[in-house]
Amino acid sequence: MFHKNIKFIIAGLIIAAGVWQIIDDSVGTGIFYILLSGIPIFLYFKNEFILLAFLKLRKQDFEGAKKWLAYIKNPETALVRKQQGYFNYLHGIMLSQTNINQAEKYFKKAIELGLSMDMDLAVAKLNLAGVAMSRRRKLEATALLNEAKKLDKQNMLKEQITMMKEQMKKI
């Protein structure tokens, strides 16, 4: 994995080659190169390894997702801020299956760095509410559940939120 700015350098070189081709009377090839430069620019904002990890998670292949995330050695230099949030979010989801205490650290860092989609933010807050509830911190869990409910606009987490509220009544 290389530094995130190298993708912009590669895109700049491809654009320069496209302009050179246009000047050299090869307009079609030049336009193709300029369009091709969109790939490294896209991959600057949407990291390829995080996209592949999301695809593996959709198939419930946690080991495959871990493998793709392992290719990112230094997330601070390789990823932009939102991607670092999703890097931590994915680690939190995978660890929530086995070690909820360690997953809490990743979810908090993901929320701190920021997530693009409200649904992802709602899932992170719902998991944090579960951790707070397991540690008998009812006020924190209630606040996180209310935030998750506000962020869940499509009501996809409605059942989990109501189930967690019922469990909190028993505490």
Side-chain angles (χ1 to χ4, degrees):
M1 187 79 212
F2 42 82
H3 196 279
K4 60 186 171 194
N5 293 334
I6 291 178
K7 294 175 185 177
F8 272 141
I9 293 170
I10 292 170
L13 291 173
I14 294 172
I15 289 172
V19 170
W20 176 69
Q21 287 290 318
I22 290 172
I23 292 171
D24 202 36
D25 289 335
S26 201
V27 177
T29 307
I31 291 172
F32 174 73
Y33 280 163
I34 291 173
L35 292 175
L36 189 68
S37 70
I39 293 173
I41 293 171
F42 171 75
L43 292 177
Y44 176 83
F45 294 105
K46 303 288 183 191
N47 186 277
E48 61 274 12
F49 295 122
I50 291 177
L51 291 173
L52 291 169
F54 266 117
L55 288 175
K56 288 292 185 179
L57 276 180
R58 286 186 69 187
K59 296 178 182 178
Q60 299 293 317
D61 182 10
F62 291 101
E63 292 303 315
K66 282 182 186 176
K67 182 188 87 164
W68 285 115
L69 287 178
Y71 284 115
I72 303 173
K73 301 290 184 228
N74 190 358
E76 287 77 29
T77 60
L79 305 173
V80 295
R81 186 170 171 87
K82 293 272 185 188
Q83 290 174 348
Q84 290 176 30
Y86 276 101
F87 178 79
N88 287 301
Y89 173 72
L90 288 172
H91 274 293
I93 287 177
M94 289 184 292
L95 284 173
S96 68
Q97 304 295 319
T98 57
N99 187 352
I100 194 74
N101 294 328
Q102 197 175 8
E104 177 186 20
K105 177 183 80 164
Y106 283 109
F107 282 127
K108 283 184 178 180
K109 184 139 182 163
I111 290 171
E112 174 190 325
L113 291 169
L115 298 170
S116 305
M117 297 180 64
D118 286 341
M119 189 65 197
D120 297 331
L121 199 55
V123 169
K125 290 193 183 221
L126 183 67
N127 280 303
L128 283 175
V131 171
M133 193 174 71
S134 69
R135 292 185 177 166
R136 306 269 188 219
R137 297 185 301 212
K138 192 172 182 179
L139 291 175
E140 182 182 348
T142 305
L144 286 166
L145 275 176
N146 289 334
E147 289 176 34
K149 189 174 183 178
K150 287 178 190 172
L151 291 168
D152 185 28
K153 293 179 177 67
Q154 290 92 16
N155 290 328
M156 293 176 68
L157 298 174
K158 185 177 183 179
E159 289 178 33
Q160 287 90 345
I161 291 172
T162 54
M163 183 177 69
M164 208 172 270
K165 283 186 178 181
E166 290 297 320
Q167 288 176 352
M168 278 194 349
K169 290 178 182 175
K170 297 175 185 175
I171 294 177

